[in-house]
Amino acid sequence: LPNLFGETPSLQISPKDGTVNAEFVTQIKDTLDQQKIPYKSLKQDSSTVVQVRFADAEDQIAARTVLQKSMGS
């Protein structure tokens, strides 16, 4: 479930089951790459959160939209 953050455009994404694994991280990366949405960094922040940072709010919002559609809201 992507959450928006203001100053540095980023998303924090948590899986529905609550635990981040390699498959979840790969799914996020593959979705953004397939949709050609550029990101500055993608990292697992904890066992429950992946953080993705973007250059601008436009990419952040586009990523949120496609990730919600591909991973559920």
Side-chain angles (χ1 to χ4, degrees), residues 4-70:
L4 290 172
F5 288 85
E7 285 189 32
T8 299
S10 62
L11 296 175
Q12 284 188 335
I13 308 160
S14 298
K16 289 182 180 181
D17 70 4
T19 304
V20 172
N21 57 32
E23 182 181 331
F24 183 73
V25 175
T26 299
Q27 183 181 4
I28 295 168
K29 182 180 184 315
D30 289 350
T31 299
L32 295 175
D33 290 345
Q34 289 167 2
Q35 296 297 316
K36 298 183 180 4
I37 298 172
Y39 54 91
K40 292 171 75 173
S41 67
L42 187 154
K43 68 176 184 163
Q44 183 173 341
D45 268 359
S46 69
S47 63
T48 60
V49 175
V50 174
Q51 184 173 46
V52 186
R53 294 182 188 266
F54 302 92
D56 57 48
E58 185 177 317
D59 291 336
Q60 175 193 33
I61 292 167
R64 182 178 187 209
T65 301
V66 300
L67 290 170
Q68 281 180 327
K69 288 179 183 174
S70 71

